[in-house]
Each structure stands twice: as structure tokens, then as C-alpha cells.
Amino acid sequence: AQSVTQPDIHITVSEGASLELRCNYSYGATPYLFWYVQSPGQGLQLLLKYFSGDTLVQGIKGFEAEFKRSQSSFNLRKPSVHWSDAAEYFCAVGALIQGAQKLVFGQGTRLTINP
Amino acid sequence: GAGVSQSPSNKVTEKGKDVELRCDPISGHTALYWYRQSLGQGLEFLIYFQGNSAPDKSGLPSDRFSAERTGGSVSTLTIQRTQQEDSAVYLCASSSVGVEQYFGPGTRLTVT
């Protein structure tokens, strides 16, 4: 069965500092991997996805993530955070089932930005 | 274009009452998904539809939960005899075949 672990429940960084959010997954086949962001009171917005090919993927809002099969990881990074990046971030793994895709989410990492 | 919409945005109900939550997916998306987000359980998959059929109902928490989709479009999630543990945000998402899911804003359900 698929599973996702986000080891950090809460991270605080200073504005302008670099960011890395960790994600480890468990899945028997080649995974489809996603990062979503959720601002307070909002739905989930897709930041980026990995299906195949280049293991370094670029997303919206200056985020990137690197798929490392040997480590079963898909960590999210940003070189310089902005106050507007404060939100909750979810890593997810998906599997195609009969043309649809069931997502399993990690528990989320809440990001706080210090001015 | 229009995204996924959900209604109502907030619902307060008394324990034991039935509730219906509605999801309007992005036009043309064949797959539709329901998830639940609660403090204790995080984001849980509930059910998905491919067209009007639901191949996988394994995520529904109990037989008080049911869902249907008609015309390959609108879906309704029904919770009968609501309990306080049903309080959560119910999220709907839709997708084309094999690609990423787009989420709606959710319905916040409070059972008093």
C-alpha cells in the first residue's frame, strides 16, 4: 500500500532564507508524486508534480522538487522564501487505477515565516 | 475557466441529521474524487468516480456515507445520521484521465 511521511510537522524560517521540506514515500511501482499547498481556509493548490523523466521538477511560485528513487524521497525546495509562502504543504503519492488516480497524502508541514 | 466548486461552503448540523454536500467538477473532467480533512486524520481519500461509476468505495468511513454522480458531472456526498466525528472539511477534486487533480475550496461541516 502507498504511504507518505512528512517528518516535520512545523517549520519556521526567516523571510529570504532557503527552504527544504522533506517527503518520503512508500510505493511498489514507479510513483506519481505531488506537492500541494494549502493557505488558511483555502483548498489545495498543486505546486508541482513528478511522473517520469527529469528527476528535478520545477513548479509554480519558485518551488522545485527532486525525486530520488534510492532514498524514496521527493523533497520540496525554494531558494528564498517570501512571507506569502506561509501555508501548509502536503506531499502526496498517487497510483493510476482504472484511469483515475487515488492520492495518499502525508500529514502536512506547516510553514511559518519570520519577518 | 471555472474551477471545481463545492456547496455549501459551510454547514452546521445537529447530530443525527442527514447532510448532502455537492461538488461541481471542471467541465470535461472524467474523474471526480472526495477527500476528508480533519485534525486527527489529516487528508483521507473517501471515494472516486470514473464517469458515473465508483470502482473504489473502500475509503468511505462507514455505511452512513454514500456518494453518487450523475451525467458524468455533479456529485453528491451524503452523510446520514451525522455524528460529531464527521465534523471535518470535505474536499472534492476532479481530473482528466491520468493527470493531476484540481481541488475545490471544500465544505466545512460542523456537527453539534
Side-chain angles (χ1 to χ4, degrees):
Chain A
Q2 307 143 277
S3 68
V4 177
T5 302
Q6 293 180 247
D8 304 305
I9 296 173
H10 185 204
I11 284 182
T12 300
V13 299
S14 299
E15 189 168 15
S18 64
L19 172 70
E20 182 169 30
L21 302 183
R22 296 182 291 165
C23 172
N24 292 95
Y25 68 91
S26 174
Y27 185 58
T30 300
Y32 294 83
L33 295 162
F34 306 83
W35 275 98
Y36 284 86
V37 61
Q38 186 178 37
S39 297
Q42 304 296 313
L44 294 165
Q45 181 182 20
L46 179 68
L47 283 176
L48 47 77
K49 62 186 183 290
Y50 172 78
F51 286 172
S52 64
D54 193 347
T55 56
L56 184 64
V57 294
Q58 302 297 320
I60 62 170
K61 304 185 179 186
F63 286 93
E64 67 178 26
E66 186 170 12
F67 169 60
K68 293 186 177 179
R69 183 186 300 275
S70 62
Q71 298 178 20
S72 297
S73 69
F74 189 57
N75 294 348
L76 182 71
R77 300 193 294 250
K78 187 170 185 178
S80 176
V81 298
H82 186 263
W83 64 266
S84 60
D85 293 324
E88 187 134 21
Y89 292 79
F90 293 92
C91 181
V93 62
L96 278 175
I97 304 172
Q98 300 183 37
Q101 193 166 95
K102 174 180 175 179
L103 292 178
V104 172
F105 288 88
Q107 288 297 307
T109 298
R110 183 161 60 94
L111 176 64
T112 300
I113 307 295
N114 280 337
Chain B
V4 177
S5 61
Q6 293 185 246
S7 60
S9 55
N10 280 284
K11 176 71 176 179
V12 180
T13 190
E14 292 180 353
K15 178 181 172 181
K17 300 284 189 183
D18 297 352
V19 295
E20 284 189 353
L21 312 180
R22 177 187 168 107
C23 173
D24 282 272
I26 293 172
S27 177
H29 279 189
T30 55
L32 184 148
Y33 308 79
W34 284 98
Y35 294 86
R36 179 170 73 173
Q37 186 174 26
S38 56
L39 281 176
Q41 301 297 321
L43 269 158
E44 306 170 86
F45 166 82
L46 297 179
I47 189 171
Y48 81 87
F49 290 88
Q50 187 62 262
N52 290 334
S53 67
D56 184 358
K57 300 180 181 180
S58 62
L60 294 176
S62 75
D63 58 8
R64 296 184 295 104
F65 287 71
S66 63
E68 66 175 11
R69 189 180 186 193
T70 55
S73 181
V74 173
S75 176
T76 302
L77 177 69
T78 301
I79 309 173
Q80 295 179 310
R81 305 181 303 281
T82 52
Q83 304 294 313
Q84 287 188 332
E85 61 263 28
D86 300 333
S87 296
V89 176
Y90 290 81
L91 293 167
C92 175
S94 69
S95 74
S96 297
V97 174
V99 289
E100 62 263 28
Q101 297 176 29
Y102 294 87
F103 282 81
T107 292
R108 180 175 297 278
L109 175 65
T110 303
V111 181
T112 62

